[in-house]
């Protein structure tokens, strides 16, 4: 794939994930297979929403999104403005109460993902895109 | 960004209707952290009217995340505990895969599309 590197700082608050999805549509359309876009939109939404709920990304701050096209994978990082208010990791989803669902989805959809704790909580994921499928 | 937020359409609106003792909510747009409260408010108002069945019609959604899923799970749980019926009309693939990824698709009550929708 043609390598690319996009970085954006999005205002925090409840609409941050909506802004992130518009960024993905604008930057990735034509760069990755159309079938990959819904997965990227859902993954980024879950990470940005976690940043809003637990990582201090309110209206007065920003959440940074970095999207890199690499040789055979899409690499995405979401940087929260503050350390998370608890350990970031998948819990067993609570199907009655609804807890732990966001990172469960990330765990199921992403090829790989992880957390960088310092200085601000950064959650990253990669989505494998076979080279022949990349535009 | 394709268009300024001030002129962009609202991320989500809710259509509401009823059919005898059954009432339905049909969110149209994107269901996430920013908009889930609108669907919750619409369902709450109908529930307070005392309808025996609430139907959440997901066919108008172009996006749903775990916040939307959490909302569905909460209403499903409340309905089972409180003795009213809560059912979901499945949406497009972009919505249904969120249920599948979490194993929730087998757990929910599925409804036929409301006649008036």
């Amino acid at each position: 794939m043609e390598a690319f590197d996009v970085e954006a700082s999005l205002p925090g608050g409840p609409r941050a994930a909506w802004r992130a999805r518009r960024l993905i549509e604008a930057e990735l359309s034509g760069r990755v297979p159309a079938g990959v876009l819904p997965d990227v939109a859902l993954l980024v939404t879950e990470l940005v929403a976690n940043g809003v709920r637990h990582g201090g990304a309110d209206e007065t701050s920003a959440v940074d999104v970095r999207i890199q096209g690499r040789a055979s994978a899409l690499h995405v990082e979401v940087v929260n403005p503050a350390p998370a208010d608890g350990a970031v990791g998948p819990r067993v989803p609570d199907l009655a109460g609804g807890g732990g669902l966001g990172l469960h989805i990330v765990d199921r959809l992403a090829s790989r993902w992880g957390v960088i704790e310092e200085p601000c909580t950064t959650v990253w994921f990669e989505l494998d895109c076979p080279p022949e499928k990349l535009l | 960004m394709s268009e300024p937020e001030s002129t962009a359409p609202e991320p989500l609106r809710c259509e509401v209707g009823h059919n005898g003792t059954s009432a339905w909510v049909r969110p149209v747009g994107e269901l996430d952290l920013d908009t889930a409260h609108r669907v919750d408010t619409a369902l709450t108002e109908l529930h307070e009217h005392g309808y025996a069945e609430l139907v959440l019609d997901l066919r108008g959604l172009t996006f749903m995340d775990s916040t939307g899923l959490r909302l569905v799970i909460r209403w499903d749980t409340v309905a089972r505990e409180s003795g009213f019926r809560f059912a979901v009309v499945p949406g497009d693939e972009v919505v249904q895969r969120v249920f599948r990824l979490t194993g929730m698709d087998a757990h929910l009550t599925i409804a036929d599309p409301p006649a008036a929708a």
Side-chain angles (χ1 to χ4, degrees):
Chain A
M1 134 162 82
E2 179 197 345
F4 60 87
D5 192 342
V6 175
E7 263 191 278
S9 190
L10 305 171
R15 201 161 286 189
W18 181 89
R19 295 187 186 101
R21 293 196 295 276
R22 302 293 87 79
L23 173 77
I24 287 158
E25 287 164 8
E27 295 292 344
L28 293 189
S29 295
R31 279 176 159 160
V32 301
V36 172
L37 283 176
D39 287 353
V40 182
L42 182 55
L43 284 162
V44 170
T45 292
E46 297 298 342
L47 298 189
V48 170
N50 272 355
V52 172
R53 295 172 68 205
H54 307 295
D58 60 17
E59 286 88 348
T60 64
S61 62
V63 56
D64 295 334
V65 179
R66 183 171 195 185
I67 310 168
Q68 290 179 308
R70 296 183 175 176
S72 61
L74 194 68
H75 178 92
V76 180
E77 295 175 8
V78 174
V79 185
N80 296 337
D85 57 14
V88 180
R91 292 178 278 162
V92 176
D94 172 6
L95 295 185
L101 292 168
L103 285 177
H104 181 71
I105 289 173
V106 172
D107 199 50
R108 290 289 307 273
L109 267 187
S111 305
R112 289 164 294 285
W113 71 283
V115 182
I116 302 163
E117 303 281 358
E118 299 288 340
C120 292
T121 302
T122 298
V123 187
W124 62 269
F125 71 85
E126 289 189 344
L127 212 50
D128 287 336
C129 299
E132 67 272 17
K133 287 178 71 180
L134 292 166
L135 303 175
Chain B
M1 305 283 170
S2 54
E3 57 186 325
E5 277 174 43
S6 56
T7 60
E10 277 294 297
L12 184 115
R13 63 186 165 84
C14 277
E15 298 171 356
V16 174
H18 61 91
N19 210 335
T21 58
S22 176
W24 50 266
V25 176
R26 184 169 196 247
V28 178
E30 300 179 48
L31 180 53
D32 69 359
L33 185 64
D34 184 35
T35 58
H37 66 97
R38 294 188 185 202
V39 180
D40 198 49
T41 300
L43 286 168
T44 300
E45 285 174 1
L46 293 173
H47 180 48
E48 286 171 357
H49 265 86
Y51 288 102
E53 180 185 63
L54 298 182
V55 175
L56 182 59
D57 181 352
L58 301 176
R59 292 174 300 163
L61 292 180
T62 54
F63 180 83
M64 188 181 89
D65 73 347
S66 68
T67 312
L69 179 62
R70 205 172 292 121
L71 172 94
V72 171
I73 292 171
R74 198 169 62 243
W75 276 94
D76 179 75
T77 303
V78 169
R80 288 171 196 272
E81 289 172 356
S82 311
F84 66 95
R85 188 176 142 88
F86 176 76
V88 166
V89 179
D92 289 343
E93 171 59 18
V94 74
V95 171
Q96 291 310 115
R97 72 198 180 118
V98 178
F99 291 108
R100 272 204 316 275
L101 282 166
T102 52
M104 280 305 298
D105 49 337
H107 184 71
L108 298 171
T109 306
I110 302 302
D112 291 329

